[in-house]
Amino acid sequence: MTEPILEVSGLTKFFGAVAASDALTFAVERGSIHGLIGPNGAGKSTTIAQLSGELRPDAGRIRFAGTDISAWPVHRRAHAGLQRSYQITSLFPDFTAAENVALAVQARQGHSFRFLAPAREIPSLREPALAVLGRLGLAAKADVPASRLGHGEQRQLELAMVLATRPKMLLLDEPTAGMSRTESRRMMGILRPLKGKVTILLVEHDMDVVFALADAITVLVKGKAIVTGPPAEVRANEDVRRAYLG
């Protein structure tokens, strides 16, 4: 058994008297897709915010790739390869899909941002951007402004921007939020080939997506992990059925 890429131990976060994370402990295996599910208010978004560095835990430890990153700021975690996406798509609407991704490539390469030099004119930025767009099924939309893409395509573009930074691990917060059933299935088809290449912690409300993709699932209820295990084991767990799956 290889060392997990992410280890969360005793993670605790209070908001007033409410424990949004209550001694939370779980691990994510390298190269896997790990689902994080639970009812509204279970602490999923708080967990993601603490893992990404946006919230400082009150107690507990976060180890990433063998290093304690509990006190690291967001940018240091990102540079180490721990990236996240958000429920609300955040793009440059007037830039084309290729230009949006090229900016992510530029950030990865450590260049200064040269907004006055269009990304389309810089082969070292455009070529890898086009390659990532091709992986996500957006090659035909490379020169379309982000504002003219459909919602599902914008979510794909956001994922393309994250992948362009070559992360070791993705924290995906509701990647199918607001999508139609067809768009959700398309996103599943995009995420599945990433198994073994990029580790993914997947927070998702669509249980069909989670159980189809995840190698392991952690179920949160009131900030606590009540079970972690393979999808079939989690689906059959009586505590999970009572608390969440019904």
Side-chain angles (χ1 to χ4, degrees), residues 106-124:
Q106 191 173 29
R108 184 196 78 216
Q109 294 179 352
H111 297 174
S112 60
F113 284 95
R114 294 170 290 177
F115 288 100
L116 297 180
R120 70 173 70 91
E121 298 176 3
I122 307 174
S124 65

Side-chain angles (χ1 to χ4, degrees), residues 21-235:
S21 296
D22 190 352
L24 183 58
T25 298
F26 68 95
V28 178
E29 296 299 321
R30 191 180 300 271
S32 70
I33 296 181
H34 191 111
L36 187 64
I37 66 173
N40 289 338
K44 303 183 297 296
S45 294
T46 299
T47 299
I48 291 288
Q50 290 175 94
L51 296 180
S52 67
E54 295 170 13
L55 274 180
R56 181 67 62 89
D58 296 322
R61 186 179 68 171
I62 302 167
R63 285 178 59 85
F64 177 65
T67 300
D68 189 335
I69 65 168
S70 306
W72 286 14
V74 173
H75 72 273
R76 190 175 177 189
R77 299 183 197 208
H79 289 160
L82 183 60
Q83 297 277 4
R84 73 162 293 181
S85 71
Y86 296 84
Q87 292 183 34
I88 300 173
T89 303
S90 180
L91 302 168
F92 296 97
D94 296 330
F95 285 24
T96 67
E99 289 167 344
N100 269 276
V101 180
L103 289 174
V105 174
Q106 191 173 29
R108 184 196 78 216
Q109 294 179 352
H111 297 174
S112 60
F113 284 95
R114 294 170 290 177
F115 288 100
L116 297 180
R120 70 173 70 91
E121 298 176 3
I122 307 174
S124 65
L125 299 181
R126 181 172 172 82
E127 289 171 7
L130 292 178
V132 175
L133 288 172
R135 288 174 61 190
L136 272 72
L138 288 175
K141 301 296 180 74
D143 295 317
V144 176
S147 60
R148 289 173 52 192
L149 298 176
H151 174 70
E153 292 172 331
Q154 289 181 345
R155 300 293 296 186
Q156 289 173 246
L157 178 55
E158 182 186 50
L159 180 57
M161 293 178 69
V162 178
L163 289 176
T165 67
R166 296 182 182 174
K168 296 176 183 177
M169 182 173 181
L170 293 177
L171 307 174
L172 293 186
D173 194 359
E174 302 280 7
T176 69
M179 287 187 178
S180 67
R181 186 173 182 82
T182 299
E183 290 171 331
S184 293
R185 296 304 168 268
R186 186 179 301 123
M187 180 61 78
M188 285 175 59
I190 290 168
L191 294 176
R192 186 174 284 113
L194 297 179
K195 279 191 180 186
K197 300 175 183 176
V198 181
T199 308
I200 297 174
L201 182 64
L202 176 66
V203 173
E204 179 55 58
H205 69 283
D206 188 331
M207 291 299 96
D208 289 340
V209 172
V210 174
F211 280 93
L213 291 177
D215 300 292
I217 297 172
T218 295
V219 183
L220 298 186
V221 175
K222 296 182 179 179
K224 292 184 178 181
I226 63 171
V227 65
T228 294
E233 179 182 310
V234 170
R235 191 188 295 273

